[in-house]
Amino acid sequence: MNKMEKALHELSEMDDLAAQSSPIHRLHPAAKLLSTIAYILLTVSFHKYDLTGLIPMLLGPVLLFQLSGIPVRTCFYKLRIVLPLVMAVGLFNPFFDRAPLLQLGPVAVSGGVISMLTLMLKGVFCLMASFLLMATTPIDSLCAALRKLHVPGLLVTLLLLTYRYVGVMTEELAVMTDAYHLRAPGQKGIHVSAWGSFLGQLLLRSMDRAQELYASMLLRGYHDHFHYAGIRPFRLPDGLYLVGSILAFLLLRFVPVAALLGSLFVR
Amino acid sequence: MIEFQHVSFAYEKDRPVIRDLSFRIESGESVGLIGANGAGKSTVMKLLLGLLPCEGQILVDDTPVTKETLKTIRRKLGFVLQNSDNQMFMPTVYEDMIFAPLNYMVSREEAEKRVDAVLARLGLTELKYRHNHKISGGEKRMAAIATILAMEPEAILMDEPTSALDPYNRRVVINTIRELSQTKIITSHDLDMILDTCDRVLLLSEGQIVADGPAGEILRDQALLESHRMELPLSLSRRD
């Protein structure tokens, strides 16, 4: 299996995860979406030095992962390519902010190190929450929920079609890569001299496909308005989850849980 | 009824693809549009669907194909694309099938009934909630036909419906086409399939119709076919 096929396989695994059944899977997609947005906003709102305050925010996703039956390790495995990028965000902070902020025994920890760790954790927590949303909600339901929340139709259609065609384009890329390697034996990767024509070909193929796809939409009555899958009505348990989860996240955000727990042991 | 009256079209100036084309297809007819690569088969389909502008006139049920009438015309014509991936753009088969009825203001309840009826008729019920990118090529082609049937069109246009299918799936598609009662226009290089599914054949060469008649007659005419870069269907060719 080459890299592209592996990517396709992983994409289809996301659909399998979303098709499972658990209390979290069964929730209304709008409830999950709003709860995730609230979680992300509250997580990023922590001050750059508030590392201890941020850590309890992990409880939210961990609990929801347990309830959804999706192992946390699956999340880290699927996000293995994005995670290093997120981790790299605050990498230069220790060089710019060298003022000592706290003393751990003989070691003085600078503000840069704390802010780097805070940034990294914020990124990881937000990714976990987003992954959980994607892994428990089929894309069509998610798009239908976005439209219910009055997100512009064009953006939602773009999201839907991108998701649908990322696999098809990956297949195209896999075919092109295979064709290249069959005529360039022993070469590792694609030589830089071929990058231009490679991307150009891919772009042309994408445009051809896009034109035909648009024709197919027009021929089936499309007129600037997309109809999404019918989603069930928003019920009481969905509302309870939404309110409950947001309250819990607010609690974790504004009550210094870590400090309170610490005060039980340290005077 | 579909009628082409002196239709011409060129992608590039001075290089016409369709030249003064005239023919008429009555309701309920099953017509095969055959010809070598570049003969203009797919262009004829696109012209009929109003996807390309042309000289001359195209009529569908006596209504000319113009910008103003496109909505009405397209509601009557269902087009099965050669590449099912381009046709099935929604995440699941169900959503793809319900797309057209909802666009044509059919109530969701009625649209759902249509979807279920078409799936049951084609024996595809188990595909209903499957993801389009996870079904096989044969299933995708059948699902593409199902999306068009859910529109309940008066005529069905098919561009190479059996291309890239294995023999079993090809036979399934052929049997399905044979059972359709609508007017059918099918372009294909698969002349055995055309012989199986069409009563009438239009042979296109360099943008003009060079033969128009019963499928059994035209597809047996070896000299005619060979003079236009085609061969007898395998089922009719002599085996030594």
Side-chain angles (χ1 to χ4, degrees), chain B residues 16 37 214:
Chain B
N37 287 337

Side-chain angles (χ1 to χ4, degrees), chain A residues 10 14 17 65 71-87 123-135:
Chain A
E10 285 197 26
M14 284 301 287
L17 287 177
F65 268 101
V72 180
R73 67 171 182 279
T74 309
C75 167
F76 286 108
Y77 180 72
K78 296 275 182 205
L79 297 175
R80 66 193 179 283
I81 295 169
V82 194
L83 278 172
L85 299 175
V86 172
M87 305 285 262
V124 172
F125 291 177
C126 291
L127 275 179
M128 285 174 78
S130 309
F131 175 85
L132 190 70
L133 176 69
M134 292 298 293

